[in-house]
Amino acid sequence: VQLQASGGGLVQAGGSLRLSCAASGSFFSINDMGWYRQAPGKERELVARITSTGSTNYAESVKGRFTISRDNARNTVYLQVNSLKSGDTAVYYCNYKVRRSPYSAYETDYWGQGTLVTVSS
């Protein structure tokens, strides 16, 4: 399974971007999908997650500004990021919890390569 993230870039404070992450390869199903970010000198942190049934949760710092969604037919997760602040500057990583087989509930974690979001003030 490979994840390909895209959509990052340089944007002014207050601007918006739409991040995408698509999965390819062989698997049975995708359970949770999520976005994490890692700023320079900081640990990776959860930004948002969405379950297979569409339930979502967000980091407090992005609530009301970021929206996560998924397209199960395309095995793709999106992150709409609005009202960007300088503190949102980071590499954003997508994460999928994947069931490889219908005969096991075991999940494997997969990560995208990261897409850089830089917010200028």
Side-chain angles (χ1 to χ4, degrees), residues 68-119:
I68 190 171
S69 61
R70 62 190 285 169
D71 183 337
N72 292 325
R74 290 184 167 86
N75 299 319
T76 298
V77 65
Y78 304 98
L79 187 68
Q80 179 68 40
V81 298
N82 298 328
S83 304
L84 282 163
K85 307 174 181 180
S86 58
D88 296 318
T89 294
V91 177
Y92 285 70
Y93 297 92
C94 53
N95 170 260
Y96 285 20
K97 296 191 182 297
V98 175
R99 281 182 64 188
R100 301 284 302 275
S101 166
Y103 307 109
S104 172
Y106 181 77
E107 295 177 337
T108 302
D109 266 337
Y110 290 94
W111 292 89
Q113 84 284 8
T115 185
L116 176 62
V117 173
T118 304
V119 183

Side-chain angles (χ1 to χ4, degrees), residues 15-68:
S16 298
L17 288 171
R18 190 190 196 207
L19 309 183
S20 301
C21 178
S24 60
S26 178
F27 50 87
F28 174 65
S29 66
I30 302 170
N31 293 339
D32 288 8
M33 296 176 172
W35 288 96
Y36 290 71
R37 68 185 180 186
Q38 187 166 19
K42 295 188 177 182
E43 293 187 354
R44 190 173 297 188
E45 64 174 357
L46 174 68
V47 176
R49 293 204 66 85
I50 184 166
T51 70
S52 58
T53 58
S55 297
T56 59
N57 68 284
Y58 296 91
E60 284 296 324
S61 60
V62 307
K63 280 183 180 178
R65 299 188 298 122
F66 291 11
T67 302
I68 190 171

